[in-house]
Amino acid sequence: MKRIFSGVQPTGNLHLGNYLGAIRNWVQLQKDYESIFCVVDMHAITVWQDPAELTRTTREVTAAYIAAGIDPEACIIFHQSAVPGHAQLAWVFNCVARMGWLNRMTQFKEKAGKHKENASVGLFAYPDLMAADILLYKATHVPVGEDQKQHLELTRDIAQKFNNDFGREVFPITEPLILGTATRVMSLRDGSKKMSKSETSDFSRINLRDDADLIAQKIRKAKTDPEPLPSEIAGLENRPEAANLVGIFAALSDSTREAVLAEHGGQPFSAFKQSLTDLSVEVLGPMNAEMNRLLANPDEIDAILKRGAERAQAIAGPILDEVYETVGFLRP
Ligand code: AQP
């Protein structure tokens, strides 16, 4: 059996990068894998979250999953804090992983920045919780972007060490699913930075809840350069903002950058931006409408999350029992 686990943090406005880099690919994967998609609220609080906002964004991420085409009947959709096994297994893994392993994690260094001493312990131990998310379901595969590869390696190391320490093959060694279709989307204000929920400038990203007018404004204001669009890929070199817009166009039209340039090369950015706006509104419009419908009915979202948590618990419970028994915890 092939089982995937993946998640998004409810840390702010979901954006085009979350959609093209993650959620859209899951819609395809659900056909071939038993799929568990989580709203990872416990990861979110590794940095400060306003409580009311956290509740709102937990529902928003859930709505985005469904509006993008993830089927809550075929897949399990739930929020992490609703299944206690995530925290329980993470504690066991805190005792399996070594300080040296976590010290090497580049994402902690990036997120903690210069204020390492002030970062939460949770932010440091984040990869142990991620390993618990995956292994609590014995997921065989995890769709990962470039930025999460190192954390999945750590998950594999933890699984291996646990199995070795206790002399039992409790956990699978989870394989990464590197998706050719995943697109890394960069900020509309700076082509060298990734589009991000926590970036202060709202004009750096297209949020999945932006309406057509706002999408048009943001694309119109997106940073570009004075040259027209090239006709070949080589012409995008050292032009990160142009490359980003072409990459977004290709992803939204299920095409290639080559094909986009063959069609639009030579155009001034004003014309290309108009085509990109039309395409973005065409693809994101229906999703935006369905998200708004769901968010106006929070009870519907909460019922989906509750049912998902029950189904997740049914898988996680026996696996946690097996872990506890392996470790030697006396069972009541
Ligand atoms: N710009 C991006 N391009 C492609 N994929 C992206 N992802 C995020 N940003 C881009 C993918 O979305 C998934 C969920 O990400 P996450 O919520 O776990 O956190 P993140 O990667 O840290 O995303 P953000 O938007 O940048 O959030 P903040 O600002 O809170 O850190 C992941 O699969 C990720 O690769």
Side-chain angles (χ1 to χ4, degrees), residues 9 11 15 17-18 21 111 147 183 185 194-198:
Q9 300 183 70
T11 41
H15 53 74
N18 298 128
K111 289 209 168 177
D147 49 350
T183 306
V185 181
K194 75 165 191 163
M195 190 176 279
S196 166
K197 299 189 214 94
S198 51

Side-chain angles (χ1 to χ4, degrees), residues 77-128:
I77 298 177
F78 75 109
H79 60 300
Q80 192 182 22
S81 61
V83 176
H86 291 262
Q88 291 167 301
L89 187 57
W91 181 257
V92 174
F93 289 167
N94 281 341
C95 303
V96 172
R98 307 289 93 183
M99 289 293 287
W101 298 0
L102 291 180
N103 268 328
R104 284 194 285 277
M105 296 295 117
T106 52
Q107 200 179 78
F108 174 74
K109 289 180 198 156
E110 280 161 22
K111 289 209 168 177
K114 292 191 191 108
H115 312 288
K116 224 167 86 181
E117 294 298 316
N118 241 344
S120 71
V121 175
L123 189 65
F124 183 71
Y126 179 116
D128 289 350

Side-chain angles (χ1 to χ4, degrees), residues 54-311:
L54 183 64
T55 306
R56 184 189 73 76
T57 49
T58 298
R59 291 198 180 106
E60 188 181 291
V61 174
T62 310
Y65 286 179
I66 297 163
I70 294 173
D71 176 357
E73 291 306 315
C75 308
I76 296 178
I77 298 177
F78 75 109
H79 60 300
Q80 192 182 22
S81 61
V83 176
H86 291 262
Q88 291 167 301
L89 187 57
W91 181 257
V92 174
F93 289 167
N94 281 341
C95 303
V96 172
R98 307 289 93 183
M99 289 293 287
W101 298 0
L102 291 180
N103 268 328
R104 284 194 285 277
M105 296 295 117
T106 52
Q107 200 179 78
F108 174 74
K109 289 180 198 156
E110 280 161 22
K111 289 209 168 177
K114 292 191 191 108
H115 312 288
K116 224 167 86 181
E117 294 298 316
N118 241 344
S120 71
V121 175
L123 189 65
F124 183 71
Y126 179 116
D128 289 350
L129 179 58
M130 181 172 150
D133 298 336
I134 296 165
L135 295 172
L136 186 60
Y137 303 94
K138 297 193 179 181
T140 54
H141 294 80
V142 173
V144 278
E146 212 40 51
D147 49 350
Q148 289 295 336
K149 258 172 147 173
Q150 198 186 28
H151 289 167
L152 184 64
E153 273 305 315
L154 189 94
T155 299
R156 291 160 60 90
D157 290 344
I158 289 175
Q160 192 90 61
K161 184 169 186 324
F162 184 97
N163 291 349
N164 286 346
D165 285 353
F166 295 99
R168 281 166 78 166
E169 292 301 304
V170 174
F171 293 117
I173 307 303
T174 307
E175 295 290 336
L177 266 180
I178 310 275
L179 299 163
T181 49
T183 306
R184 191 166 167 80
V185 181
M186 310 310 278
S187 158
L188 298 181
R189 312 298 298 162
D190 177 351
S192 67
K193 284 193 194 154
K194 75 165 191 163
M195 190 176 279
S196 166
K197 299 189 214 94
S198 51
E199 167 61 50
T200 42
S201 164
D202 196 51
F203 271 70
S204 68
R205 64 181 161 260
I206 295 174
N207 300 312
L208 297 185
R209 295 202 69 203
D210 289 347
D211 62 19
D213 283 349
L214 195 50
I215 292 176
Q217 271 186 54
K218 286 179 174 179
I219 294 179
R220 216 177 309 121
K221 290 208 164 141
K223 187 175 167 196
T224 43
D225 55 49
E227 302 299 316
L229 210 59
S231 300
E232 286 170 4
I233 294 287
L236 290 174
E237 209 173 317
N238 299 322
R239 298 176 67 186
E241 285 82 18
N244 187 35
L245 295 186
V246 171
I248 293 173
F249 197 110
L252 285 174
S253 56
D254 277 325
S255 174
T256 60
R257 296 190 311 157
E258 285 81 355
V260 173
L261 291 181
E263 191 183 337
H264 298 271
Q267 282 181 2
F269 271 104
S270 53
F272 181 64
K273 282 178 167 180
Q274 185 55 53
S275 306
L276 181 58
T277 300
D278 295 344
L279 175 63
S280 304
V281 171
E282 187 189 318
V283 176
L284 300 179
M287 226 165 86
N288 178 291
E290 176 61 359
M291 277 179 81
N292 288 340
R293 186 195 70 75
L294 283 162
L295 289 164
N297 295 288
D299 291 351
E300 187 178 335
I301 298 177
D302 294 357
I304 289 169
L305 288 174
K306 182 167 182 285
R307 172 87 188 106
E310 286 161 4
R311 291 166 65 200

